[in-house]
Amino acid sequence: MTKRIAIVGTGPMGIYSLQQLLRSGDRIAVTLFEKGPRAGIGMPYSPDSANKAMLANIASIEIPPVVTTYLEWLGTQPEKKLIGYGLDPQGLHDRQFTPRLLLGEYFRDQLLSLVAQARQCGHRIEIHENALVDDIQCDADALTVTTEGGFEGRFDKVILATGHQFPDEDEASRSYFPSPWSGLIEAAIPAAHVGIMGTSLSSIDAAMAVANQHGSFRREGDDLYFDLDSPDLKITLMSRSGLLPEADFYCPIPYQPLSVLTEQAVTACTEGEAPLDDLFELIRAELKQADPAYALRIGLGGLNADSFADAYFAEREASDPFRWARKNLIEVERNKAARITVAWRYALLRMHEVVEEIVPDLSDRDRERFDDGLKKVFVDNYAAVPSESIRRILALRDAGVLSIMALGQDYDMTRQDDQTLITVGKQTHRFPVFIDARGQKPLGSNDIPFPTLRQALQQTGHELPEVAEDYSLIDTPGYAGRIAFGSIPYLMHDRPFVQGITACAEIASSIARGITTGRKRRRVS
Ligand SMILES: Cc1cc2nc3c(=O)[nH]c(=O)nc-3n(C[C@H](O)[C@H](O)[C@H](O)COP(=O)(O)OP(=O)(O)OC[C@H]3O[C@@H](n4cnc5c(N)ncnc54)[C@H](O)[C@@H]3O)c2cc1C
């Protein structure tokens, strides 16, 4: 019998899930639900959350193709459109960072092509747009998916690909935005002192959304300037460390294999008495082998799982963040032009995915140590941002608009009706506009937006949905084995590096394998 499958959410996770289901060769009937008006775009790439200036930090070479590669698709786009997005139609290449909106258009086009191909092969595929799924109920025969608009459908399997879950727009006010995606893109922000909590790519995006309302960027040769129209605009980015991300660096793709920190070696760590410390020994050995000069420079031989992060960040923390950013930008641009790979950076980048495997097996104490130390290093390394984002930061700084504040471990944040106060030591900073841009938080069973499923999960007593290796729900009467959990915020607790398009494609592949072969293996959470 043809399996009836529902996919809730049509961002990258939903699209790759459909792609992988189709690859199995089984005849399938899939219904895709998208709460937005146009399926296939995904939250970060939609006009509700991004404007033309906001860049994706993934290049074509890294994006798993859906039907065609992103670069091939770019090559088919009208020149005028590419120019409108700031791209040179003659200069397209597979390591280029493009506006997020353009990437959203790619994913939508790819979904539509994929669906057309699938229908030609005899699969039954339906797309419901403006269809917010509001509950998923179960009985002995099927799962019933209902939408806000009154649709009701019965399915054998449901894939949850609902993606990011940020606070609602109605929690935002004129002076406080609980995330950059809660109405900031459309809001008119006054030329005032704007505080932004966070210094990552999302915070840079938030700064751009505000700055572009009061001035414009101007390019002269390789240099970027910001012409400010409203002298009253000041933007302060803040975080505990006050560090800016570094610029994305050149490295060989696909990744070359690691020498020491292999999957087998990491798995073996979980069998010992001190998994985190054993893991650090592997990290140390891999780094020493990859880049002995770097190992010597930071005194790697004398470090441990708890002190490595401090040594990694020490030089940067001691430096002015803008001066560091300028120096780092010159270095990465020179390396890109000459195709030079900085060995220690590349080693850390390749290590983070293997290291993630051990996280669910760490004790609470080791998990705390990991979060306070090694995790920060890996996140800093893989969350490097496009060079252009650093150029913009520097242009805003040179125009006297942008500053950075290091809050340290001890600070107070007080929200008032018309301002937000940040107190560090004896000093209080007042922000008439404040944006919390700290990114997606891990979510648990209580946050699930489908009431009947949420209740079933709460009754299991688990704070997090428990899933098997194919992401199918376990231990939840009526739903176990029928729901695949691809909604990122619910996976983040045990997979702290899970965000990103490549992770979506990998998870989708496991989900599709689970649905088409019915094979369930060890738990991932
Ligand atoms: C601002 C931002 C920028 C990012 N940039 C990058 C980047 O450049 N590169 C990268 O690799 N990763 C990036 N990421 C990480 C991001 O996690 C992935 O790129 C990707 O968007 C995840 O895909 P997804 O399908 O899981 O979720 P989403 O893209 O969030 O898509 C989920 C979809 O489900 C729909 N939906 C949700 N609930 C329902 C419901 N109840 N009923 C029906 N439909 C529903 C939503 O409307 C949405 O279309 C970024 C994340 C953010 C927040």
Side-chain angles (χ1 to χ4, degrees):
M1 246 179 51
T2 308
K3 270 198 189 112
R4 299 164 302 171
I5 302 164
I7 300 180
V8 184
T10 63
M13 184 72 79
I15 297 175
Y16 287 118
S17 297
L18 176 63
Q19 180 205 40
Q20 294 298 316
L21 286 170
L22 291 168
R23 280 195 182 161
S24 76
D26 295 353
R27 183 62 54 88
I28 48 174
V30 182
T31 305
L32 296 119
F33 295 93
E34 172 51 54
K35 71 175 176 186
R38 295 169 78 227
I41 295 179
M43 177 263 156
Y45 317 103
S46 96
D48 292 337
S49 340
N51 62 30
K52 269 190 171 178
M54 293 176 178
L55 296 172
N57 67 348
I58 185 164
S60 180
I61 191 168
E62 294 173 274
I63 300 172
V66 182
V67 177
T68 58
T69 68
Y70 184 41
L71 183 61
E72 284 162 352
W73 179 86
L74 285 172
T76 64
Q77 297 307 297
E79 290 204 348
K80 215 170 140 194
K81 175 169 159 182
L82 295 176
I83 293 166
Y85 275 110
L87 301 183
D88 169 9
Q90 312 314 323
L92 299 173
H93 58 88
D94 64 2
R95 291 196 177 239
Q96 191 168 16
F97 294 115
T98 63
R100 286 216 296 275
L101 291 180
L102 204 51
L103 188 50
E105 288 195 35
Y106 161 76
F107 275 120
R108 175 170 169 83
D109 268 13
Q110 296 286 297
L111 172 65
L112 299 184
S113 305
L114 189 65
V115 168
Q117 283 180 4
R119 284 179 181 152
Q120 269 180 0
C121 297
H123 300 287
R124 280 206 329 267
I125 316 284
E126 280 179 35
I127 301 183
H128 294 247
E129 293 173 329
N130 292 313
L132 180 123
V133 169
D134 59 4
D135 205 6
I136 302 167
Q137 291 163 16
C138 66
D139 59 39
D141 298 326
L143 294 173
T144 302
V145 172
T146 55
T147 71
E148 213 178 36
F151 175 91
E152 220 178 277
R154 293 182 51 83
F155 300 94
D156 302 305
K157 304 271 179 183
V158 174
I159 299 174
L160 293 182
T162 49
H164 289 284
Q165 210 169 309
F166 290 111
D168 279 343
E169 267 181 45
D170 49 21
E171 287 178 40
S173 68
R174 282 159 60 88
S175 65
Y176 181 83
F177 295 85
S179 89
W181 333 116
S182 43
L184 177 70
I185 300 296
E186 295 91 31
I189 304 293
H193 198 171
V194 179
I196 300 180
M197 183 60 85
T199 48
S200 68
L201 185 62
S202 298
S203 327
I204 300 175
D205 273 359
M208 295 309 145
V210 173
N212 278 319
Q213 296 192 20
H214 299 287
S216 53
F217 289 94
R218 173 172 45 89
R219 195 175 296 280
E220 277 182 26
D222 285 344
D223 297 322
L224 193 67
Y225 300 92
F226 185 73
D227 298 324
L228 179 64
D229 304 333
S230 325
D232 294 337
L233 180 70
K234 298 273 175 252
I235 301 175
T236 300
L237 297 182
M238 63 195 88
S239 66
R240 287 187 199 280
S241 68
L243 289 180
L244 281 172
E246 295 199 300
D248 186 79
F249 51 91
Y250 175 83
C251 65
I253 299 173
Y255 294 162
Q256 292 165 355
L258 293 162
S259 314
V260 183
L261 193 126
T262 58
E263 267 179 44
Q264 295 87 315
V266 169
T267 308
C269 292
T270 59
E271 286 148 20
E273 301 225 317
L276 188 65
D277 303 293
D278 293 347
L279 176 74
F280 182 72
E281 289 310 323
L282 298 177
I283 294 172
R284 188 201 323 259
E286 187 75 54
L287 273 174
K288 265 188 179 168
Q289 187 167 322
D291 200 333
Y294 174 75
L296 208 60
R297 198 164 79 237
I298 67 161
L300 189 60
L303 299 176
N304 57 36
D306 306 304
S307 57
F308 177 59
D310 288 343
Y312 171 92
F313 288 113
E315 209 185 332
R316 216 155 118 205
E317 276 175 347
S319 165
D320 170 78
F322 296 105
R323 198 164 299 152
W324 184 276
R326 224 177 282 275
K327 202 175 78 178
N328 171 250
L329 181 63
I330 293 169
E331 180 195 314
V332 299
E333 285 302 296
R334 199 179 44 218
N335 289 347
K336 273 180 196 166
R339 296 179 174 240
I340 293 171
T341 302
V342 176
W344 64 266
R345 289 187 192 278
Y346 189 39
L348 285 173
L349 183 65
R350 287 173 292 154
M351 279 193 264
H352 84 270
E353 282 171 7
V354 193
V355 163
E356 195 179 49
E357 293 292 313
I358 203 177
V359 173
D361 297 319
L362 293 178
S363 65
D364 289 350
R365 173 75 196 110
D366 274 358
R367 179 61 200 265
E368 228 172 90
R369 292 171 62 207
F370 178 78
D371 287 352
D372 286 345
L374 290 171
K375 179 179 157 190
K376 291 182 184 162
V377 172
F378 289 114
V379 171
D380 180 66
N381 173 269
Y382 79 71
V385 302
S387 288
E388 187 65 6
S389 297
I390 300 291
R391 280 189 205 100
R392 290 175 183 172
I393 284 280
L394 292 172
L396 286 177
R397 142 84 181 189
D398 293 344
V401 175
L402 190 71
S403 60
I404 292 180
M405 186 159 74
L407 299 171
Q409 295 307 312
D410 217 8
Y411 70 91
D412 273 331
M413 178 168 147
T414 313
R415 266 183 67 188
Q416 296 179 342
D417 283 348
D418 57 348
Q419 62 179 352
T420 298
L421 309 181
I422 298 286
T423 306
V424 188
K426 289 195 175 130
Q427 224 181 345
T428 296
H429 306 264
R430 293 166 195 281
F431 298 99
V433 179
F434 198 84
I435 305 160
D436 192 336
R438 280 177 286 190
Q440 179 68 63
K441 293 187 182 71
L443 299 177
S445 303
N446 292 340
D447 303 300
I448 300 224
F450 310 114
T452 314
L453 173 61
R454 183 174 61 238
Q455 261 172 25
L457 279 159
Q458 285 167 333
Q459 277 162 13
T460 65
H462 298 305
E463 279 175 30
L464 297 167
E466 298 265 307
V467 297
E469 199 181 50
D470 64 355
Y471 297 89
S472 64
L473 201 56
I474 44 185
D475 287 352
T476 314
Y479 293 96
R482 292 162 133 190
I483 293 238
F485 235 97
S487 297
I488 286 173
Y490 300 93
L491 304 174
M492 281 171 64
H493 181 80
D494 282 339
R495 295 198 53 190
F497 311 133
V498 80
Q499 294 188 57
I501 289 170
T502 50
C504 288
E506 278 163 30
I507 294 170
S509 158
S510 303
I511 288 177
R513 224 180 5 258
I515 290 182
T516 52
T517 65
R519 223 182 312 132
K520 310 263 171 284
R521 298 229 302 276
R522 82 177 173 84
R523 290 171 179 211
V524 292
S525 68

